[in-house]
Amino acid sequence: ALLFLHPIIVNLNMDSKADMKREKKDEESGGNPYAKLDVTAVLQECRAFNETPINARKCSIILTKLFHLVQQGDNIGRTEATEAFFGVTKLWQSKDATLRRLVYLAVKVLSTISDDVIIVTSSLTKDMTGKEDAYRAPAIRALCLITDAAMLQTIERYMKQAIVDRNPAVSSAALVSSIHLMKKAGDVVRRWANEVQEAASAEGHMVQLHALALLYQIRSNDRLAVNKLVQKFAKGGMRSPFALCYLIRIAKQLIEEDDQADSAFFQFIDSCLRHKSEMVVYEAASAIVSLPNTSPSELAPAISVLQLFCSSPKPALRFAAVRTLNKVSVKHPQAVTSCNVDLEKLITDSNRSIATLAITTLLKTGAESSVERLMKQISSFVSEISDEFKIVVVEAIRALIARYPRKHTVMLPFLANMLRNDGGFEYKREIVDTLIAIVEENPDARLAGLAQLCEFIEDCEHPALATKVLHLLGREAPKTANPHAYIRFVYNRVILETTQVRAAAVSALAKIGAQCPQLRPSIEGLLKNCLLDSEDEVRDRATFYLSVLDMAPAIVNSLVLDTLQSSPAALERAAAEYVENEEAHSNKFDLKSVPVCSAPVAKKAKTLLAEEVAPAKEKKTAANATAAAAERLSQIEGLTAGLGPLFKSTLPIPLTDNVNEYTVQCSKHIFANHVILEFEVKNTLNDQLLEQVNVSLEDAEGEWKALRQRPIARLPYGEPSSIFVLLPFPQSGAVQGVLGATLNFKVKDVDPSTGEPESDDTYDDSYVLEEVELCVSDSVQPLGKASFGPAWNALEEEDTVEETFSLANVSSIHEAIKKVCGLLGLAPCERSDIVPEGRNRHVVMMSGVFRGGHEVLAKANVAIDPNDNSIGLNLLIRCSESIIAEILATAIV
Ligand SMILES: *[C@@H]1O[C@H](CO)[C@@H](O)[C@H](O)[C@H]1NC(C)=O
Ligand SMILES: *[C@@H]1O[C@H](CO)[C@@H](O)[C@H](O)[C@H]1NC(C)=O
Ligand SMILES: *[C@@H]1O[C@H](CO)[C@@H](O)[C@H](O)[C@H]1NC(C)=O
Ligand SMILES: *[C@@H]1O[C@H](CO)[C@@H](O)[C@H](O)[C@H]1NC(C)=O
């Protein structure tokens, strides 16, 4: 089951009513017998451990109480814990099997809060190698937990024996403990690879799984070795369904990480669809449908398997199948249509979770005409299902409206009804987000959606949601025919709510005032009332807006309608530097000198087990890359002196493939007028030491010339290090370039085991790398604007650069938009990158900041010609510096 069902979204229940209900339930069921334990009393009781003869039953109960306290996070002092621990050591004399097993648990539980746990090492070692099987496994687990890298060497021999032990419980305990030890003493554990291999072909099903997981951990830094591992076991030898599920996950990850992955991996997963264990079949099907870039013919067998599961008598299988189909239906609605008949049968399933998933899947795949019927069906039991599944319903509605915008007349009342009924914060937030999306994406639904949201904030117990809606009103109300109507809803919040909501209401009023000159006098009157608010946050905002609203449109845009372009942390740092540096005081503080920062894209959390398969591989984002690089570069003496703040860093791009003698990856760090290329070099030959490692760059146009470079003095085996090359942007204004790159170095032969040079002799060598490409998007930070229209109009007087292109190699409007945003380095604004189904023409609005702090705005009109499927692009670009608009236009070829 663990492998089967992915963890479910944790439900943040902020509803105090629900809490009260829970308490009442506890009382009714007699409550928790451990609920009122007192730490001091239990520690007193621990003295019983020292009595002779040992009363096994009494001691077991006391230990259980102690565990409960530690588990609850009760604070136990070190002295007391140590005293209890010494008592526990006495219990080793007991022959009672239950008590003895609790003793091992006690060693683990107390290991972090007590001193001197090390003293039980020899007792544990004795039990681990003893005759009593029931003690061996828990002894291994306790021992591995308290041991350190040095001590591990002394028990290494026993660990190797335990890994290949004939008793599966012992073998599993040793393997799982070794997985934990990988973090503390990876080098030692790696030496046990042969034993682990042997365990992988043992009888026990769990042993195989644990051995495979450990083998994977041992090799996870070496892609080639992981490839070999999967190739070997994919051919056979894994009988355990658990291990096969794990192998499928590794194979899937290899395919995801590398488009050129061995096609045998896919064939292996595909072959598992015909396995006799349902668990394996499901895992394979679920892997295939979640792979990117699967063709319909690859998808079909997996879908048929899920379809079969839909009519299984086992609810778990039906649930798993329909849950997976529900996910697939987002990306491949076409493929899931074949299951519609089976899904229809499930909409009356007695398990409401299954019914909900079936209906919401049908909503995504079915015809527009069936929407009303399905919604009616779901209305009949929506009050019975948990918030988690209500969220599934809301997500389906969201997807549905994107497909059939006209259906908003059915969906909006339904959502509004859900919003009025009980539910936790997460659920309410999902509904509000969906309504906001509908209002922003669908002008026809704007009025009805805004009306529902206005009603919601009249009586909303979640300030975070009220604030969200107020921000929306500030943006969207001016676009309606009668913005005046919304002012009352906003102003009511100023009178009735908490500080956070009042402040947001003040900002919303100002935004409406900024965009509707006719309403400005009355709004200014309302803002004046706010000057008397009891909280300074509210007063300060009102004061600020009152003094700004009558200024020039460009100023109003940037101060009222735009959001802050830098992260608060970066702004604080820049301001502190300015204050400290007295020389700078002759100039005004320039907001443009603060690094801009695009909001990090919120990623959905990965499931627990998927994370386990990929140990410690954090996904890096471009925003992270910049923040981390700024810190790192500033610590290198003299490297960035005089360049100004770092504008942007790109994620590293490999310039070699992973299997080479030397691996090199390049990141670009962009400043106002310079770029620093960072080449991170890793020497993968253990018999070579490289010295004076540098890069020579070659540019056919002769425009890019390195100003200076920081070579690597010494590059031993396996320790990555970086070369930095500083290039000014060319005088010509060019920002694109392709640079040939070669790595130069001196080689010293060394003894592989010690790393010591065999002699002082060196020889010169060089290594040709892949070309380094500099592109337009490197010089641009994507930064979406909350209100595109006013900003676009404010740049009206500037020249608009207009170009028309015909795009090759794109198959849909959506893809074209993604490609254009990527090439220009701009972010889509106001959700204009969402293309309603069936459109063959769409306008996307984009914005960003060019290095030096220049704002760039663009509109792209993308149209698909249905006759030959060619895509035409008409691009308008505005920037206060027309040269920059022209540079941007060169990005598209
Ligand atoms: C539906 O079935 C799944 C899988 O067996 C189970 O986990 C869940 O609790 C059931 N839900 C309801 C509401 O019966
Ligand atoms: C990346 O940024 C996010 C949010 O800004 C942060 O939570 C995360 O820890 C960062 N990751 C790294 C590796 O710095
Ligand atoms: C790079 O290193 C080679 C030897 O490794 C040396 O001959 C050359 O002068 C160096 N070039 C630069 C630009 O430092
Ligand atoms: C079109 O795409 C294919 C495959 O993705 C690629 O091989 C080809 O070079 C592309 N053609 C152009 C003109 O970009």
Side-chain angles (χ1 to χ4, degrees):
L2 185 71
L3 280 153
F4 228 93
L5 298 174
H6 296 275
I8 285 164
I9 309 158
V10 179
N11 200 346
L12 242 190
N13 198 336
M14 304 188 104
D15 201 337
S16 55
K17 258 191 257 160
D19 280 343
M20 266 160 59
K21 263 190 229 144
R22 196 173 313 129
E23 259 169 40
K24 212 157 147 222
K25 223 183 186 172
D26 283 349
E27 271 165 32
E28 277 162 9
S29 63
N32 177 349
Y34 291 119
K36 301 210 166 61
L37 286 183
D38 174 53
V39 182
T40 333
V42 173
L43 287 170
Q44 288 273 351
E45 288 183 51
C46 286
R47 301 215 174 127
F49 299 162
N50 296 310
E51 289 165 8
T52 38
I54 296 167
N55 181 338
R57 195 179 141 65
K58 184 172 159 197
C59 292
S60 298
I61 293 175
I62 301 171
L63 279 176
T64 317
K65 288 183 188 168
L66 188 66
F67 298 164
H68 179 77
L69 288 174
V70 175
Q71 186 74 34
Q72 293 293 304
D74 271 87
N75 223 341
I76 299 181
R78 250 198 135 71
T79 325
E80 290 80 10
T82 308
E83 204 172 301
F85 177 72
F86 275 95
V88 167
T89 60
K90 302 273 167 44
L91 302 179
W92 236 282
Q93 290 155 21
S94 169
K95 294 270 178 288
D96 183 276
T98 313
L99 179 60
R100 278 291 289 279
R101 297 184 68 168
L102 285 173
V103 166
Y104 299 116
L105 206 50
V107 173
K108 296 202 314 192
V109 168
L110 293 172
S111 65
T112 50
I113 53 176
S114 154
D115 292 327
D116 299 328
V117 280
I118 282 301
I119 60 162
V120 291
T121 303
S122 64
S123 308
L124 288 172
T125 315
K126 209 167 116 227
D127 290 349
M128 161 184 181
T129 53
K131 289 215 164 42
E132 201 62 66
D133 273 353
Y135 298 163
R136 287 165 66 204
I140 291 172
R141 285 193 289 264
L143 184 58
C144 287
L145 186 77
I146 64 170
T147 198
D148 59 24
M151 239 169 56
L152 189 56
Q153 317 247 8
T154 64
I155 56 161
E156 189 171 358
R157 187 158 56 94
Y158 305 125
M159 283 301 288
K160 286 184 179 179
Q161 283 165 5
I163 287 173
V164 292
D165 197 277
R166 228 167 325 134
N167 183 322
V170 173
S171 175
S172 268
L175 289 163
V176 174
S177 300
S178 307
I179 293 178
H180 291 297
L181 283 171
M182 280 299 290
K183 292 194 201 89
K184 275 198 279 193
D187 289 347
V188 183
V189 177
R190 282 197 185 88
R191 294 201 293 250
W192 311 340
N194 286 340
E195 284 76 14
V196 183
Q197 282 277 9
E198 197 180 322
S201 37
E203 284 293 317
H205 282 180
M206 275 301 172
V207 176
Q208 279 196 356
L209 167 68
H210 295 146
L212 178 63
L214 179 54
L215 273 181
Y216 174 68
Q217 291 258 332
I218 289 178
R219 299 181 178 179
S220 62
N221 286 332
D222 181 349
R223 218 194 133 82
L224 215 58
V226 175
N227 274 339
K228 277 198 201 134
L229 179 77
V230 179
Q231 276 156 1
K232 176 173 168 215
F233 287 117
K235 286 204 196 95
M238 281 279 160
R239 274 184 316 278
S240 154
F242 301 115
L244 273 172
C245 287
Y246 199 86
L247 197 61
I248 290 172
R249 290 186 181 193
I250 307 176
K252 172 182 165 227
Q253 190 173 314
L254 291 174
I255 300 174
E256 276 173 349
E257 284 173 357
D258 182 4
D259 319 329
Q260 259 93 56
D262 193 340
S263 63
F265 296 156
F266 185 85
Q267 281 156 18
F268 158 66
I269 301 181
D270 191 64
S271 73
C272 289
L273 290 174
R274 293 176 289 281
H275 197 268
K276 60 181 186 302
S277 158
E278 282 161 344
M279 184 194 295
V280 175
V281 175
Y282 170 73
E283 187 66 38
S286 148
I288 291 175
V289 297
S290 66
L291 279 175
N293 317 323
T294 29
S295 66
S297 62
E298 287 168 333
L299 217 49
I303 302 277
S304 334
V305 162
L306 294 172
Q307 185 174 5
L308 271 181
F309 283 176
C310 279
S311 37
S312 159
K314 298 183 191 165
L317 273 188
R318 295 202 303 277
F319 180 76
V322 68
R323 191 163 188 261
T324 308
L325 286 172
N326 191 309
K327 281 201 203 117
V328 187
S329 60
V330 179
K331 229 172 94 189
H332 306 286
Q334 234 43 52
V336 180
T337 337
S338 58
C339 307
N340 280 1
V341 175
D342 307 80
L343 290 169
E344 283 283 352
K345 287 190 198 127
L346 293 180
I347 64 180
T348 48
D349 201 292
S350 62
N351 181 317
R352 293 304 194 204
S353 313
I354 295 177
T356 308
L357 290 165
I359 295 177
T360 51
T361 310
L362 284 168
L363 281 176
K364 288 182 229 168
T365 60
E368 189 167 358
S369 56
S370 59
V371 169
E372 274 88 354
R373 178 175 59 86
L374 292 167
M375 291 308 292
K376 205 163 160 198
Q377 179 74 30
I378 208 163
S379 311
S380 67
F381 63 80
V382 74
S383 56
E384 294 167 38
I385 57 181
S386 66
D387 274 11
E388 185 206 345
F389 286 94
K390 286 183 187 157
I391 290 178
V392 172
V393 175
V394 178
E395 280 168 353
I397 293 180
R398 190 171 182 159
L400 186 81
I401 294 206
R403 275 176 69 214
Y404 305 124
R406 275 181 304 160
K407 282 290 165 210
H408 69 83
T409 47
V410 185
M411 297 302 167
L412 277 178
F414 189 82
L415 284 173
N417 206 17
M418 289 177 101
L419 199 52
R420 262 180 238 124
N421 293 335
D422 280 350
F425 172 72
E426 297 279 340
Y427 165 53
K428 291 286 165 89
R429 187 182 60 187
E430 194 68 34
I431 305 177
V432 168
D433 283 349
T434 302
L435 282 170
I436 292 180
I438 294 174
V439 167
E440 292 190 329
E441 285 161 25
N442 188 345
D444 295 335
R446 187 183 287 144
L447 287 182
L450 286 178
Q452 303 290 6
L453 288 167
C454 283
E455 186 196 316
F456 170 64
I457 56 170
E458 286 285 298
D459 179 22
C460 168
E461 55 191 322
H462 305 294
L465 298 183
T467 326
K468 248 186 189 186
V469 173
L470 286 168
H471 282 305
L472 177 81
L473 287 173
R475 283 198 303 273
E476 296 293 324
K479 295 181 191 162
T480 63
N482 189 9
H484 184 248
Y486 297 92
I487 292 183
R488 177 173 64 87
F489 291 102
V490 179
Y491 189 67
N492 278 350
R493 308 275 64 77
V494 176
I495 308 170
L496 297 168
E497 296 281 353
T498 57
T499 312
Q500 183 188 351
V501 177
R502 293 205 305 280
V506 167
S507 296
L509 284 176
K511 281 183 187 159
I512 298 176
Q515 296 170 80
C516 311
Q518 75 283 10
L519 294 179
R520 210 170 284 161
S522 59
I523 282 183
E524 283 172 342
L526 295 174
L527 288 176
K528 282 198 185 111
N529 295 348
C530 301
L531 294 175
L532 301 174
D533 195 278
S534 58
E535 288 289 336
D536 52 4
E537 174 70 33
V538 181
R539 289 197 304 270
D540 288 355
R541 285 197 195 196
T543 313
F544 172 74
Y545 290 127
L546 274 172
S547 54
V548 168
L549 271 180
D550 285 325
M551 294 185 174
I555 298 180
V556 175
N557 279 343
S558 72
L559 293 183
V560 181
L561 299 180
D562 276 352
T563 42
L564 189 63
Q565 300 199 332
S566 43
S567 70
L571 180 59
E572 187 183 1
R573 202 176 320 127
E577 265 168 32
Y578 177 82
V579 172
E580 272 168 28
N581 181 0
E582 290 194 4
E583 282 165 39
H585 290 184
S586 50
N587 298 318
K588 281 190 187 161
F589 179 74
D590 184 3
L591 204 52
K592 286 202 171 113
S593 71
V594 184
V596 289
C597 139
S598 37
V601 186
K603 281 259 159 68
K604 280 232 166 134
K606 279 186 131 188
T607 60
L608 199 68
L609 263 145
E611 251 164 20
E612 199 185 289
V613 171
K617 246 187 234 162
E618 253 196 71
K619 282 264 184 264
K620 285 193 192 148
T621 64
N624 279 48
T626 305
E631 188 68 36
R632 209 154 40 84
L633 295 180
S634 68
Q635 278 164 4
I636 301 174
E637 183 80 39
L639 184 64
T640 58
L643 303 186
L646 176 64
F647 175 71
K648 169 175 180 172
S649 283
T650 62
L651 293 173
I653 299 164
L655 298 182
T656 54
D657 44 35
N658 276 342
V659 286
N660 280 343
E661 300 96 302
Y662 315 109
T663 59
V664 180
Q665 51 179 9
C666 176
S667 335
K668 296 172 265 188
H669 306 293
I670 314 290
F671 294 80
N673 296 307
H674 300 82
V675 49
I676 291 181
L677 296 177
E678 173 178 1
F679 297 89
E680 190 190 277
V681 192
K682 189 169 160 194
N683 168 12
T684 63
L685 299 176
N686 62 3
D687 57 354
Q688 288 195 354
L689 168 69
L690 308 188
E691 291 184 336
Q692 296 174 40
V693 191
N694 65 27
V695 176
S696 45
L697 296 173
E698 214 171 308
D699 158 32
E701 316 283 320
E703 292 204 285
W704 297 84
K705 296 243 156 43
L707 209 56
R708 53 176 191 261
Q709 124 152 242
R710 253 184 102 90
I712 302 170
R714 226 175 142 266
L715 187 68
Y717 158 70
E719 293 170 27
S721 183
S722 289
I723 302 167
F724 296 93
V725 182
L726 177 68
L727 302 163
F729 277 98
Q731 292 293 338
S732 66
V735 295
Q736 290 173 303
V738 177
L739 309 179
T742 312
L743 201 65
N744 311 301
F745 45 84
K746 293 184 190 303
V747 183
K748 224 177 227 178
D749 292 327
V750 297
D751 177 346
S753 55
T754 61
E756 290 302 315
E758 283 163 347
S759 73
D760 280 343
D761 296 342
T762 61
Y763 56 91
D764 289 338
D765 204 348
S766 67
Y767 193 78
V768 178
L769 306 174
E770 277 173 39
E771 287 165 337
V772 179
E773 214 172 315
L774 291 146
C775 38
V776 171
S777 62
D778 291 339
S779 292
V780 184
Q781 279 274 33
L783 204 65
K785 278 206 150 323
S787 302
F788 183 85
W792 178 256
N793 295 338
L795 283 174
E796 207 157 24
E797 277 130 56
E798 312 300 331
D799 293 336
T800 303
V801 172
E802 176 168 5
E803 298 274 359
T804 301
F805 305 91
S806 139
L807 296 180
N809 245 8
V810 275
S811 57
S812 69
I813 296 222
H814 177 75
E815 200 187 326
I817 287 176
K818 243 172 99 178
K819 196 163 172 180
V820 170
C821 286
L823 287 172
L824 296 172
L826 298 175
C829 304
E830 301 186 17
R831 301 180 199 251
S832 60
D833 55 327
I834 297 173
V835 189
E837 193 146 303
R839 289 272 180 90
N840 51 19
R841 174 175 288 279
H842 188 74
V843 179
V844 56
M845 301 172 279
M846 297 166 280
S847 66
V849 174
F850 194 83
R851 68 188 149 75
H854 306 281
E855 181 170 86
V856 185
L857 302 174
K859 271 190 195 179
N861 194 333
V862 190
I864 193 159
D865 181 344
N867 294 326
D868 57 356
N869 269 339
S870 68
I871 290 193
L873 164 71
N874 176 262
L875 187 65
L876 304 173
I877 307 181
R878 283 183 185 171
C879 175
S880 54
E881 304 283 326
S882 56
I883 172 87
I884 293 177
E886 278 159 28
I887 290 174
L888 263 279
T890 64
I892 313 243
V893 281

